Each structure stands twice: as structure tokens, then as C-alpha cells.
Amino acid sequence: MIRFLVLAVLSLVLLIGVGTLGFDAADGGRFGPRLDGPVLLGGWLLEAVALCALFLLVQGRGGAWWLDGLLAAWIAWIFRGPVLVLAVAEHLGGGRDPWWGLTLRWLAIYSLAGLFLALLARRLGVRR
């Protein structure tokens, strides 16, 4: 289990980081300045640990190994995506644009992360 957690957290930080930087490069950084490096890395680490914990809670409930990963990812995305957009739109009063586009990007990143977790757990024999 420890081996799974270490590999999963480190890999997810890398996956989230590459996904975030890739999407930022694709749109030319139009969403303004980024957080400082250590703060950004800490955020990715927090997301990776949370996704691992949620995956371990969901594991074995989806009916298929890959569905466990997608369930965990999509549950996490609900709070990272639509709920966050509603909170930001309410606070700023500017509507859902451009925030909604960002949430769809995070859906892709989280889906890949969930599938990766499911595959890693299957390969390492992590059981519920």
C-alpha cells in the first residue's frame, strides 16, 4: 500500500503539472499570472493526495477496475470544476466565462489521473 501511495502521488503531481503547463502553453497563458512555484507545486501535491484518498475510498465499488478510477476522478472534478465555477462567478459577478473552459480542461486531466490510479492499483495488486 505504501508503494502504491508513493508512486501514485508522485506520478499524479507530474501528470497534473504537465497537464496544467500543457494547457497553459496551448492557450498562450491568457489567464494571467500564475502562482509562485512552491505554492503551485503544493497545490498539485494536495490534489494528488486527495485524488489518491478518494480513489481508495471508491475502489471496488464501480464494478470494473477502470470505472473505479473514473468515478473517483469525476467526483473530485465536481468540486474542482462546476462548484468552483459557481463560487467564482458569484464572487466576481462576471458569469461563467472564461472559467467554464478551464473546468473542462480539468475534467480531461482528472479523467487521465483516475485511469492512471486504477491501472496502477491493478498492476500493484492493491485491494480494497
Side-chain angles (χ1 to χ4, degrees):
M1 178 66 77
I2 297 297
R3 185 173 154 205
F4 167 76
L5 289 173
V6 169
L7 286 173
V9 168
L10 293 176
S11 299
L12 286 180
V13 168
L14 182 63
L15 178 74
I16 290 169
V18 168
T20 300
L21 296 175
F23 280 130
D24 284 351
D27 70 7
R30 67 183 173 118
F31 289 105
R34 306 284 303 166
L35 297 171
D36 291 337
V39 175
L40 191 59
L41 185 61
W44 294 342
L45 182 62
L46 180 64
E47 287 183 81
V49 169
L51 276 171
C52 286
L54 186 57
F55 172 77
L56 290 173
L57 288 172
V58 171
Q59 186 186 20
R61 298 175 195 263
W65 65 270
W66 55 271
L67 192 55
D68 294 341
L70 288 179
L71 283 173
W74 293 344
I75 290 168
W77 175 76
I78 291 293
F79 295 100
R80 177 69 153 102
V83 172
L84 183 60
V85 167
L86 290 174
V88 168
E90 179 183 344
H91 181 70
L92 297 179
R96 65 183 183 103
D97 293 325
W99 312 110
W100 189 247
L102 287 174
T103 64
L104 295 178
R105 293 174 179 186
W106 278 102
L107 178 60
I109 293 172
Y110 271 33
S111 296
L112 286 175
L115 288 172
F116 173 79
L117 281 173
L119 181 63
L120 184 64
R122 182 178 168 110
R123 291 283 181 199
L124 295 179
V126 176
R127 302 261 185 246
R128 195 170 181 264

